[in-house]
Amino acid sequence: MHVAALTAKGGDTAAADGSALWRRAVWDSFAKLNPVTLVRNPVMFVVELGTAVTALLSVWPSLFGASPGVGRGYDMAVCIVLLLTVLFANFAEAYAEGRGRAQADALRRTRVQTTARLIGEDGVELGIVPGGSLRRGQTIRVQAGEVIPGDGEIIAGIGSVDESAITGESAPVIRGAGGDFSSVTGGTRLLSDTIDLRITAEPGGSFLDRMIALVEGAERQKTPNEIALNVLLAGLTLIFVVVVVTLEPLAEFLGQPLPVASLTALLVALIPTTIGALLSAIGIAGMDRVLRFRVVAKSGRAVEAAGDVDTLILDKTGTITIGNRMATEFVPARGIAPSEVAHAALWASLGDETPEGRSIVALAQQEGIEAPAAPPSGAQVIAFSAETRRSGLVLPDGTEYSKGAVDAMAGLVEAKGGAMGTDVRQAADAIARAGGTPLAVAEGGRALGVVHLKDIVKAGLAARFDALRAMGIRTIMVTGDNPLTAASIAREAGVDDFVAEAKPEDKMRLIRAEQAQGRLVAMTGDGTNDAPALAQADVGLAMNSGTAAAKEAGNMVDLDSDPSKLIEVVSIGKQLLITRGSITTFSIANDVSKYFAILPAMFSPILPVLGKLNIMHLTSPRSAVMSAIIFNALIIPALIPLAMRGARYKAMGATEMLVRNMMLYGLGGVLLPFAAIKAIDLLLTALHLA
Amino acid sequence: MGLVGAFLVLVVIALAARPLGRYMFKVFAGRPAFGDRIARPVEALLWRLGGVDPDEGMTWKQYFKAVLWLNLPMALISYVILRTQTHLPLNPDRQGVIAWPLAFNTAASFVANCNWQAYSGEQTMSYLSQLAALVFLQFTTPATGIAMVVGFIRALGQKTDTLGNFYADYLRALTRVLLPLAFVGSLVLLAAGVPDTFAGAAVVHTLQGTTQVISRGPVAALEAIKQLGTNGGGFFNANSAHPFENPNWLSNVLEIIMMSTLPIALVFTFGHMVDAQREGTSQASLRIGARQANVIFGVTMTVLVACFLIIYGSELGGNPALHSALGVRLAPNMEGHEVRFGQALTALFVNNTTAFTTGAVDTMHDSLTPLAGGTALLLMMLNAVFGGKGVGLLNILMFVVITVFVSGLMVGRTPTLLGKKIESREIRLATVAMLIHPVLILAPTAFALVHRIGTSSLTNPALHGISEVVYAYASAAANNGSAFAGLNANTPFYNVSLGLVILIGRYLSVAAMYALAGSLASKVPAAVTAGTLRTDTWSFGWVYVGVLVIVGALTFFPVLALGPIGEALSMHAGMWF
């Protein structure tokens, strides 16, 4: 999946003012030192306590009795590095929040002060009120050119709406009372006509408000996996507190108390500070990535759930196929030239403005048939009707070109004294069997051949479904088509399974059946009748163009209304978890090398022979301890880009990925710090700092 | 040659464990099994007498409460017997009164299947105390352990409210597993030369004309269950180093096999049980339980063998410090060893008795070379290299939960164990269970080393002193029961503190694991897809070993550095204390 390309559309907002973002993040790093807020992150809180202890020692070296062989300078150096560790952690979080806030500001700018024209039950205007005071259930009238003051459902009228403030899409959309396109969003602008709305959101609870709150992280709740990870990190921290605290009595028993600053340094080096520092930044950045991809997730939980999805339920129309059928082939009757069929089909479709009609014109032109842009004057267009099931064009000279369903056309041809040949019928049957729709073409009473209309599967879908399969995600296509057509499209698109002749309630049944087998289900939808299924699904991606009910029921809204984006959302969800897991593994694996740096340094005064454990040959006990905690501090900012961007994710089987990531972050996490700590030690020695 | 023999013993254990595991599965699943015709009527009678309906399921709380309600009276009865042994029969050698701290320590130790012994059996215990208080608990507590893990495994199959009936599981463990095996085991040991008598100590006049009192008693009866139940509490103070408990290489091999086979067999029982619960579902064909059992068996066996080789190698190297000081090459290390067993079998006994939390000893662990003693210590600190009856597998599963969680995140999925989701509640409980063990070892060790009440019991200074104390608490926390023996543990401080560590180490961690079981039981196993992180693969198995070593062992690295590692380095540097 190409997650890297996702920022293309919305990235400009965050990049708006890089240096201001930095300044603010640096400032916030200090503000976040407040222990009252920091205590929520137990790992970093322990580091802060360590900072405080070493700070006291720097001022008052004999606080815990005479420390052997180390001076105030050492205490102070440890204190500074620990402080930096906390600040780096705070910075990571502040930076991630800042990027979210930049997006929120961009959104907030679109929310201009509005007024609303309140109307009564009978449609009589009651007066002007501020847009911010509107309550759910009130009805208002909006006129062309005005900004729509709040989220609502159109109850009367139809108009074109500019939704670019929310979606970034400049082409206006048509919204009208009744049906699936009746919801409008506050902050968008009505371009034409007058509409009456019923407000659907309380003040501060509009779609825009919620979006702002979400990106700012104000409403950010920890996701289940994040809570679990936090518990594990707190547990590991507690274990290492016990390990370090019990070390002092052991040393005392051996007659050589350990310097408190060294013990503090050991504790901070052992507890999982790297992941503790980056955990919340990873979560915020994950939500941010989803939003940059122009999908609004209503919670972090939804994004995580997306990463867990086992089954994707996809509507055929709009998701797998481009909404309409397209002409792909002209099949002539026996003895008729192919160009003659194309010519007749083109003329029969000149007045047909449906996508199917236009695709016939385009195909004929592609085959070299000349055609005017519009029906010649005096020609009579016969529009399609459900009764006749055909359409056509009668030229002023009486020539009639027509096309339509095969049996309807057979009746027409026979009425004009012609006959539909068996070869035409056979060709039509073959097309139907292949999942296409045959349209018979005639000039007057002469049946000329058949047009093959086909569902066009979106380009590149088969490859994406392959990728999903590699991730272990099953795709199920849902369509109202007959099983034959459905099977053909399913085969072409490469979905794993399909449900044909599906009614809306079938989706619900399908989701429940999948869930009963312990699978997590994701689906997309836009209609009101999709709402229950969207709510039932573990991940419900509603289209922004859809009804308010659908948007309310889903736990994500796609601002571009492109259902196939569900696939990328799954990738982002997985990436979020992988980033967390990888940095956790890295953080814990680092402990091995830190032990080998700090323990010999601490213990060699007690038992010189333990200096043999100094396998990195670090210069002095002091430089060893300092190198380890400097590495521990520096690795945080070094990994901020990884936290922001997310770990690389390629579609592959789980075990394969486990091995790959364990090699990278587990084994790498054991080995890298050996090299890094040695390098820092050499640098400290070269600078005569140790 | 000895090494080949030791590996042959391991092969026998591995081969015996599979059918035994399958047999236990049949027993606990209530399926037709060997011996039904004799055992079923007996069980039916006992259930009627006890008012137990074996088909009545218990929730995790009821199940765990049943464990406590069964164990508490047993502990009290044992305590009372120990305190009143002077007034009770079967005391031919007129053993004296046992003080309350020792009685508490012993009752706690035996009820928790630890069998730490702060006394020397032949000088303290009457035969009634040995049999009614101690051998009795040696049967009932491993049965409790087996039942505990059986209940836990039931949480891993299908979604269920109940974990089976504890009393039924407990009784079956006794009647179908421990009693028959112990009966056969005792006979085999008798044949190998272990004595068994109710006669008091023999008084003999030696050739030198002096009089010698030779303690004896119902040894073979105790010896079999001592090993089978991973109990380890010996009849004599010298435990399995005593020629009556362990007369020759054959009895030594038999004892190693007896202590090791059941805990490994339980791993296979686990596999069969999970698969049986998933029969008739879409996952049945995956045989996920059997595969998981194979992976756990394979990687744990590898760790076991690696530790054995370290112990054996270190012992073989002897003591270079003595070499340089005395000019005599003293390798292999023979101090405190029984020559009749040979180096390899002694090393294997040391390895398995600490790995399987048996705690029986056939050599003086205090006299092991530092790395060998340190490895024995590490095995107790890990407490998951098969471990003791039942609880060992619980510990393995606890580390598996932690591994599943971290590695599940690494592949971008909410982690699942055999399809059951591992979420914050599960992690909270597994973390608590994981925390208990190091805290129970490190905190009292630190306390004992800075207070006179602790340090006055030491017989060695400096590093080896640390090793002795940390070994005692590791042995107690792991419910192992073996001792470094240098420490005089029969003081009120050590008796009470070790007794408490033993009780917390067993019941609190099991409580956390049972809450975890309740939580797992309520979940529907998720479907297995290509995106599922399968835990029944070798790749996962090695990651598990990595987590076990980094999380389980690194915690103890500092104390090991100040104990055995420091000793080893000093020894090779020719340092003396």
Side-chain angles (χ1 to χ4, degrees), chain B residues 71 74 109-115 136-146 148 170 174 178 229 231 389 506-507:
Chain B
N71 279 203
M74 288 181 184
S109 159
F110 277 76
V111 82
N113 192 235
C114 173
N115 293 23
F136 164 67
L137 286 177
Q138 293 198 342
F139 276 98
T140 59
T141 62
T144 306
I146 292 176
M148 286 196 297
Y170 166 78
L174 267 178
L178 293 169
N231 293 299
K389 202 112 304 134
R506 179 152 174 115
Y507 295 102

Side-chain angles (χ1 to χ4, degrees), chain A residues 66-120:
Chain A
S67 270
V70 288
R72 191 173 279 194
Y74 177 69
D75 294 336
M76 221 179 279
V78 171
C79 172
I80 290 166
V81 176
L82 297 194
L83 179 64
L84 279 177
T85 311
V86 186
L87 285 175
F88 286 152
N90 289 347
F91 178 80
E93 191 182 69
Y95 182 72
E97 283 171 354
R99 295 211 318 180
R101 206 179 298 115
Q103 296 228 21
D105 288 343
L107 286 171
R108 200 175 279 123
R109 272 197 290 279
T110 66
R111 192 175 55 175
V112 288
Q113 283 302 317
T114 54
T115 54
R117 197 175 291 106
L118 216 54
I119 57 173

Side-chain angles (χ1 to χ4, degrees), chain B residues 527-541:
Chain B
V528 174
T529 70
T532 310
L533 177 67
R534 298 279 296 263
T535 52
D536 54 344
T537 60
W538 293 105
S539 307
F540 178 84

Side-chain angles (χ1 to χ4, degrees), chain A residues 378-399:
Chain A
Q380 186 202 339
V381 174
I382 304 165
F384 177 86
S385 80
E387 217 168 301
T388 62
R389 291 187 296 141
R390 60 184 167 83
S391 62
L393 188 75
V394 184
L395 294 181
D397 65 356
T399 317

